[in-house]
């Protein structure tokens, strides 16, 4: 969080595995108020706490992008669906087209 506080970005994008009940590799923007309804298997601290902690250090938006994992078992490798989804998110970031991602409702 120190880098975020020092750099004060206008946009902070967090990307993580999220159990959204969707097919593996599905990608969604997740609003802050729905984060607690989505299972994040890699965090002991819910991401909404991190977002709330950092919101005063970001001059613009904090965007959370979830990718549906194929497996939630510890130590399982990243599936081809999830790897392809990660590549897609990176391409959208590079092109500035994050608004093309569906918003989880």
């Amino acid at each position: 969080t120190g880098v975020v506080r020092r750099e004060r970005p206008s946009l902070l994008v967090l990307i993580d595995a999220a159990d959204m009940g969707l097919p593996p590799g599905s990608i969604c923007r997740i609003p802050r108020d729905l984060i607690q309804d989505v299972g994040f298997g890699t965090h002991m601290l819910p991401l909404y706490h991190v977002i709330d902690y950092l919101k005063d250090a970001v001059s613009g938006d904090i965007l959370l992008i979830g990718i549906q994992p194929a497996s939630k078992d510890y130590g399982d490798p990243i599936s081809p669906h999830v790897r392809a989804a990660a590549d897609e998110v990176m391409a959208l970031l590079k092109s500035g087209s994050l608004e093309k991602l569906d918003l989880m409702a």
Side-chain angles (χ1 to χ4, degrees), residues 19-93:
D19 186 2
M20 302 173 286
L22 298 172
S26 296
I27 306 166
C28 283
R29 290 179 292 139
I30 303 172
R32 157 62 181 88
D33 58 330
L34 292 182
I35 291 173
Q36 59 197 9
D37 296 335
V38 177
F40 287 89
T42 58
H43 297 280
M44 296 303 290
L45 180 68
L47 278 177
Y48 62 85
H49 287 301
V50 175
I51 290 170
D52 290 348
Y53 177 72
L54 289 174
K55 68 181 166 188
D56 68 328
V58 177
S59 62
D61 292 328
I62 299 176
L63 177 62
L64 176 61
I65 297 173
I67 299 176
Q68 176 70 47
S71 170
K72 297 180 283 177
D73 293 335
Y74 181 77
D76 279 357
I78 295 175
S79 72
H81 294 295
V82 172
R83 185 163 307 281
D87 290 342
E88 181 180 345
V89 170
M90 289 305 299
L92 290 169
L93 279 166

